[in-house]
Amino acid sequence: MDMVSLQYIYFHASIKELLIFRDNEHLPFVAMPFFIMDNLLFKASGVFLIAMLLALNGLIAGLVTDELRRAWGNRHKLSLAAAASFVVMALFWLIHYENLLWPKQIHMYLSAAFFVLASRVLVGIDERMRSAAPPDWGRIMGVAALFSASTFSFGYGAIGWIAALMLVVTGRWPWRATWSLLAVFALNAIVYAAFYNYSTLEYHSSPLTSIGSPLELAKFTVVYFASPAYALLNNHMAANLLSLAASLAGLWILFRNLLLRRHSVSRVELFACLLMLFGFGSALMTGLSRMKFGLEVATAPRYAIAQVQFWIGLWLIAAVTLRKPLQAWKTPIALSCLAVAGLFVLSQVRYARMIEVMSQAHWQGVLAVINGVADDDVLSREIHPDRQAIEALVPDFSKRHWSVYANPQPWWLGQPTRDLFRVEAADRCRGSLDLVSDLGRLKGQSYVEGWAWDKQAGRTPEWVVLVDGAGIVRGLARSGLKRPDVERAFSAAAGSAPGWHGYVAAPTPLAGTEAYAVLADGTSICQLTRNAPPKAGDGVH
């Protein structure tokens, strides 16, 4: 939905307004050039942005793993490989599905990556300071630039600044270095205050009000960190108890490492503390601004990148400090790691199924747009609540052949089938048009459903076209729906999701309109029957 808002500004406002776009309380200025690049170079497909998301996630995984390598050395390659696997699993886990698959979320990953990179440089500077080396002003200014980039990618970057200043102050850095970082932080705060979208205070929680409810903030934090635990354990009580224990342990570790033994703590422990501070700070920031929406908002998948960093930080502390004491427990620990890996696999399967359902729901919205059908319920839920914004963007995308209009399928509408396809014999495929309905809400337009199977290719056709009596394509439909009845009747179709759905901008019952499956070669079609449920032994094997 937020992509619609961004694209509306891109097409209908100035480039200046886009570059200083304010996303609720966040100022993602650094992310805006990436959106522009995706539009101009990749036709607003989102492919570039998603590739960047994955690359940034890989960078975070690499930085965390390399910090552990510094602590362990190169002699423990097997242990390091196992540790790296867990970091990668945690970061590429499908709990992050909103972030990893939603192009707009690049601002969160830019912020997180800049923060982790800045933290690496910061602990390196701190290590030099403790060895009485003179301040490296190039690195200090580099840290300031990275934290600033994090802040102006997503608001969580401000937490990085606060965490860094805590480390600098408790480490008793030379006053010039400390005041230089404080000055850049103050400049960040002034710019943020100047551009801040104060209207968000009207429909989000006011931080000044929320801060007066410390118990509610504590509950929010526990639920916030419980989200990844629940994704693994699939049990709310166990996840909340584990989160509570981890939160208390994290607070004690921060107090111990940053105050009680600051000058003896190792580099990797400081790095882990910064990750945990980022997690605690993001929980606090989210709670202060979202408290009015209830505790369930703490479980939103878009926050997983911050939640997981807390758990990774805690895990780094355990890996470094408990590695030697637990040498005698190698076998139980190895079995425990395998059990956790198994839980990751089960969690991935659950998320994959959920994402498949969500994908089909989103495609229904896209099909409504392509077919020009005013299914407002679906459009408001899957595309954007402002129908006028959608209507304004469709011609912007279509005339440039961007987004879904970069593909050939939307351009089939209104074209004679003889100019697009070769009609094959009906026995090349099986399937039918099973449902034509106005869904009780469409006015003079129709929703269609059915199933299809390409016998020669042995798979489900991706697209189905609805053709009127004059041979003109009047509607598009796409496959991917589960059809247990079809899968029971045809063993070859099991697990293939042979159901399809779409729209036709014409009233029911669509007399004279026929459905044709677009076969695997993309240039031929095969007519489907109408209202013919599948039967076992019907010729598909």
Side-chain angles (χ1 to χ4, degrees):
M1 292 186 183
D2 287 341
M3 288 299 290
V4 171
S5 301
L6 276 174
Q7 297 292 12
Y8 188 86
I9 293 171
Y10 179 87
F11 290 120
H12 299 279
S14 66
I15 191 70
K16 177 183 176 182
E17 288 178 86
L18 181 67
L19 290 173
I20 59 171
F21 174 69
R22 298 178 296 174
D23 180 21
N24 293 322
E25 64 268 49
H26 307 288
L27 303 178
F29 299 164
V30 174
M32 290 302 106
F34 292 91
F35 291 110
I36 296 171
M37 289 175 64
D38 187 68
N39 276 0
L40 297 179
L41 302 180
F42 298 90
K43 299 182 177 181
S45 64
V47 171
F48 169 69
L49 296 176
I50 292 173
M52 284 296 301
L53 284 169
L54 297 174
L56 290 167
N57 214 28
L59 174 64
I60 294 169
L63 291 170
V64 172
T65 302
D66 189 59
E67 194 61 43
L68 192 58
R69 180 196 61 79
R70 283 175 172 270
W72 282 357
N74 294 319
R75 292 176 300 169
H76 307 286
K77 293 182 179 179
L78 186 60
S79 297
L80 187 64
S85 299
F86 273 98
V87 173
V88 170
M89 278 194 294
L91 287 169
F92 287 90
W93 188 7
L94 287 179
I95 192 176
H96 303 279
Y97 70 88
E98 274 194 9
N99 295 332
L100 294 176
L101 304 176
W102 186 16
K104 187 250 184 186
Q105 293 301 92
I106 191 172
H107 59 359
M108 288 192 74
Y109 274 89
L110 283 168
S111 182
F114 282 131
F115 166 77
V116 175
L117 185 56
S119 297
R120 277 291 306 272
V121 179
L122 187 69
V123 295
I125 296 171
D126 188 80
E127 193 175 43
R128 283 173 52 85
M129 294 286 195
R130 284 189 283 174
S131 65
D136 185 333
W137 288 102
R139 289 191 177 189
I140 290 171
M141 289 299 101
V143 162
L146 287 169
F147 279 124
S148 298
S150 179
T151 300
F152 291 101
S153 295
F154 194 74
Y156 284 175
I159 300 160
W161 265 115
I162 295 168
L165 292 172
M166 288 176 64
L167 184 146
V168 168
V169 171
T170 58
R172 298 178 183 176
W173 281 24
W175 70 270
R176 287 184 180 177
T178 302
W179 281 102
S180 297
L181 289 175
L182 280 168
V184 180
F185 172 64
L187 181 60
N188 274 235
I190 291 168
V191 174
Y192 215 96
F195 286 93
Y196 187 80
N197 183 7
Y198 290 94
S199 65
T200 59
L201 298 176
E202 298 175 7
Y203 53 90
H204 288 162
S205 301
S206 169
L208 296 177
T209 302
S210 299
I211 205 166
S213 305
L215 183 58
E216 292 303 312
L217 282 173
K219 288 180 182 177
F220 190 94
T221 300
V222 170
V223 173
Y224 188 82
F225 292 136
S227 186
Y230 174 73
L232 279 181
L233 303 174
N234 204 26
N235 182 293
H236 283 295
M237 181 175 290
N240 287 332
L241 289 173
L242 182 60
S243 174
L244 177 60
S247 298
L248 293 174
L251 289 172
W252 164 246
I253 289 168
L254 291 173
F255 176 75
R256 176 174 172 269
N257 287 350
L258 297 182
L259 293 177
L260 298 183
R261 54 183 294 264
R262 171 66 174 84
H263 293 283
S264 63
V265 71
S266 68
R267 168 181 166 140
V268 69
E269 287 176 290
L270 278 181
F271 179 72
C273 285
L274 287 172
L275 294 184
M276 286 193 290
L277 282 170
F278 187 82
F280 275 120
S282 65
L284 182 62
M285 178 181 285
T286 307
L288 287 172
S289 61
R290 299 293 191 277
M291 188 76 72
K292 68 184 290 183
F293 301 120
L295 290 176
E296 59 272 11
V297 76
T299 65
R302 61 184 175 275
Y303 302 131
I305 182 60
Q307 297 161 349
V308 165
Q309 286 203 43
F310 165 78
W311 287 101
I312 288 176
L314 198 61
W315 175 82
L316 279 176
I317 293 288
V320 171
T321 59
L322 300 179
R323 188 170 180 275
K324 289 183 179 179
L326 294 178
Q327 284 288 326
W329 297 80
K330 284 183 179 179
T331 301
I333 290 173
L335 292 174
S336 298
C337 290
L338 287 174
V340 172
L343 290 175
F344 265 112
V345 172
L346 293 174
S347 177
Q348 291 285 69
V349 171
R350 288 196 299 270
Y351 275 112
R353 289 171 179 166
M354 181 180 68
I355 292 167
E356 184 180 4
V357 173
M358 293 175 64
S359 175
Q360 287 305 316
H362 179 71
W363 261 108
Q364 187 176 347
V366 174
L367 290 167
V369 171
I370 293 172
N371 285 292
V373 171
D375 192 346
D376 290 342
D377 283 8
V378 170
L379 291 172
S380 63
R381 183 176 66 249
E382 301 296 335
I383 307 297
H384 197 271
D386 186 349
R387 171 81 179 282
Q388 291 182 335
I390 298 173
E391 291 177 347
L393 284 178
V394 168
D396 292 322
F397 282 127
S398 62
K399 71 183 178 183
R400 291 171 174 81
H401 288 239
W402 282 7
S403 187
V404 70
Y405 295 98
N407 302 317
Q409 290 83 15
W411 304 103
W412 293 345
L413 288 166
Q415 301 296 314
T417 53
R418 65 176 179 273
D419 295 343
L420 299 169
F421 307 107
R422 180 179 65 257
V423 180
E424 296 287 349
D427 62 0
R428 270 288 308 272
C429 63
R430 284 288 185 272
S432 68
L433 167 60
D434 298 334
L435 174 69
V436 177
S437 172
D438 64 5
L439 301 177
R441 58 179 184 261
L442 304 179
K443 298 178 180 178
Q445 299 170 319
S446 304
Y447 171 78
V448 292
E449 265 188 23
W451 64 277
W453 183 258
D454 184 336
K455 292 174 64 177
Q456 184 169 309
R459 64 180 178 84
T460 300
E462 184 178 4
W463 291 92
V464 170
V465 291
L466 287 300
V467 181
D468 68 11
I472 306 297
V473 177
R474 295 301 182 191
L476 283 176
R478 190 174 182 274
S479 65
L481 296 182
K482 294 289 186 183
R483 283 293 299 266
D485 55 338
V486 175
E487 296 177 46
R488 282 194 300 270
F490 308 129
S491 59
S496 65
W500 53 262
H501 63 159
Y503 293 92
V504 180
T508 56
L510 297 180
T513 297
E514 301 293 342
Y516 290 81
V518 180
L519 301 176
D521 59 12
T523 60
S524 55
I525 56 176
C526 172
Q527 186 173 352
L528 305 174
T529 57
R530 191 152 181 166
N531 299 319
K535 296 178 182 178
D538 204 16
V540 179
H541 303 289

